[in-house]
Amino acid sequence: MTPLYLIEPERLGEIVPDHPRYRADQLRDWLYRRPVLDPAEMTDLPKDLRRRLVLYPFRVERQQVGDGGATVKWLFRTDDAKDIEAVLMGYPGRATLCLSSQAGCALGCTFCATGQFGFERQLDAGEMVAQVAYAQAYLRSVGVHGASDHLTNIVFMGMGEPLANYRNLREALRRIIEVMGFSARAITVSTVGIVPGIRRLAGEPWPIRLAVSLHAADDELRSRLVPINRRYPLEELVAAADEYARAKRRRLSIEWTLIDGVNDTDDQADRLARIALRLRAHVNLIPLNPTPLSQDRPSPPDRVEEFARRVRSRGVEVTVRDIRGADIDAACGQLRVRSKLPAGRPDH
Ligand code: SF4
């Protein structure tokens, strides 16, 4: 049977043609309003139907719990053996899911574990929604230490570049917002700078938050770290991000992974501050989570502090993010990298 999350919510009736019409509504309600881990929990459906149902288009290949129970990371494996990562992060009274939009990624950012393995395929809208549903079901039935029993935030910041999978991303957003009832304001789409995608997203009806993964503030360094910058250079990216913020009246965030000796200099801090002020953006600094296949190291803590202080001193709001799940390889693409490495390969 086709996994139910791969079926458009409006077409669920087609898989239960021999049932009364309200059955499709019941199914939709379970899938999108009260997600469960196991169809056996769908207690108002007939038992023989529950036994036939397949909910998720993947199985859990690996689950890791870190940060004292506050972070859960899943490596989901699809039927065609593609790996998808999602990370659930619990905070007091909140829970954020970081989900994947592609299996692999073609953009090849040098510091990124996903980029090191190239592109496998686009994720279907249903595969993105299923990650959200799985996390909701997990929060309700198992729970995450200290967190709410439901998702409060969703960030498209896992494997893949969401705006390079626009059609499926859009459909996933529609299902999450309009069928699941999730607030668009609590959803963040992160991009390394697909300018036409930013413009298309600005034309959508939802006030989604945009995060620009900048990582470098001049074209020469940025083209080295984030090769798509050669196609959409900084000036174009900043202009499109500015248009987005104005169209949506939403504050942007700028993500900046701090790499020791690469983009943590005073000069980069000053250039970053200028861009952030122009965009009225909040800056999130994230010390690099080292990946097994790269020599790059995170900036040392005193350098992180000095970089943050320097950007702040120009009047920019800056947050230094903690590395969630560092003990469980929670950075983008890392669990998958490890699953592909020969056994026993030591970390750099
Ligand atoms: S950082 Fe994002 S866009 Fe860049 S290679 Fe990794 S997944 Fe792709």
Side-chain angles (χ1 to χ4, degrees):
M1 178 184 225
T2 307
L4 296 187
Y5 282 107
L6 291 187
I7 298 168
E8 237 181 281
E10 293 76 14
R11 302 185 65 176
L12 282 167
E14 293 171 17
I15 63 139
V16 281
D18 45 341
H19 283 254
R21 289 175 66 159
Y22 63 82
R23 199 68 83 208
D25 295 335
Q26 284 177 310
L27 267 177
R28 193 161 38 245
D29 190 57
W30 279 113
L31 293 171
Y32 293 92
R33 298 286 174 154
R34 295 183 285 165
V36 290
L37 296 176
D38 182 336
E41 297 170 63
M42 298 170 147
T43 43
D44 57 4
L45 299 182
K47 264 196 185 143
D48 62 326
L49 175 61
R50 279 185 258 161
R51 270 196 291 270
R52 282 198 287 128
L53 296 178
V54 178
L55 303 184
Y56 294 98
F58 45 64
R59 61 185 161 80
V60 179
E61 177 65 14
R62 198 181 306 178
Q63 173 177 301
Q64 292 184 316
V65 179
D67 296 318
T71 304
V72 184
K73 172 141 188 172
W74 294 291
L75 183 69
F76 298 122
R77 186 155 293 166
T78 63
D79 285 347
D80 62 344
K82 303 296 179 241
D83 288 338
I84 308 172
E85 295 185 4
V87 185
L88 178 60
M89 293 160 284
Y91 306 91
R94 293 191 293 128
T96 297
L97 179 72
C98 176
L99 64 97
S100 295
S101 55
Q102 298 180 309
C105 182
L107 299 192
C109 304
T110 53
F111 51 86
C112 168
T114 301
Q116 288 161 8
F117 279 104
F119 178 72
E120 292 188 297
R121 72 163 166 82
Q122 303 285 23
L123 293 190
D124 183 87
E127 291 174 310
M128 293 183 237
V129 175
Q131 296 171 67
V132 176
Y134 193 91
Q136 288 281 33
Y138 184 90
L139 278 167
R140 207 159 284 158
S141 63
V142 183
V144 168
H145 183 69
S148 55
D149 64 356
H150 59 279
L151 285 176
T152 56
N153 296 84
I154 294 172
V155 295
F156 286 80
M157 218 179 260
M159 289 165 49
E161 161 57 55
L163 297 182
N165 185 10
Y166 195 88
R167 195 169 50 89
N168 293 334
L169 170 75
R170 190 198 184 281
E171 174 59 12
L173 289 169
R174 183 191 73 82
R175 292 183 201 175
I176 292 167
I177 296 165
E178 295 180 2
V179 187
M180 279 183 160
F182 202 88
S183 165
R185 303 187 72 84
I187 299 175
T188 301
V189 169
S190 168
T191 180
V192 288
I194 308 281
V195 166
I198 295 173
R199 297 222 160 93
R200 281 176 85 181
L201 196 64
E204 303 293 358
W206 313 297
I208 289 163
R209 189 173 175 126
L210 184 71
V212 177
S213 293
L214 205 64
H215 309 304
D218 67 75
D219 279 320
E220 196 192 330
L221 179 60
R222 192 162 198 272
S223 294
R224 191 145 57 82
L225 300 181
V226 182
I228 194 72
N229 189 71
R230 291 177 205 141
R231 187 132 140 231
Y232 305 113
L234 263 175
E235 187 48 41
E236 266 185 58
L237 169 57
V238 170
D242 192 28
E243 280 170 34
Y244 186 92
R246 286 172 196 276
K248 298 292 175 196
R249 300 186 182 185
R250 295 237 42 201
R251 194 143 181 229
L252 298 171
S253 65
I254 292 177
E255 311 293 309
W256 189 283
T257 297
L258 277 165
I259 309 167
D260 187 23
V262 176
N263 64 353
D264 59 357
T265 59
D266 289 350
D267 176 57
Q268 286 295 313
D270 295 344
R271 288 171 186 264
L272 165 60
R274 279 200 289 278
I275 292 174
L277 284 174
R278 177 171 160 197
L279 293 175
R280 294 167 302 282
H282 182 105
V283 170
N284 288 313
L285 300 177
I286 313 126
L288 177 77
N289 228 339
T291 74
L293 298 184
S294 161
Q295 304 289 345
D296 285 335
R297 310 310 305 166
S299 305
D302 55 341
R303 188 61 223 156
V304 173
E305 274 319 306
E306 174 53 23
F307 191 93
R309 191 204 59 73
R310 204 169 165 102
V311 179
R312 265 189 211 116
S313 73
R314 306 287 193 273
V316 178
E317 239 179 69
V318 178
T319 304
V320 179
R321 288 235 215 105
D322 55 336
I323 306 183
R324 267 308 182 100
D327 52 340
I328 53 167
D329 306 322
C332 168
Q334 290 199 334
L335 204 62
R336 178 166 161 275
V337 166
R338 202 160 298 267
S339 80
K340 289 190 185 302
L341 287 174
R345 179 183 170 129
D347 292 351
H348 290 186

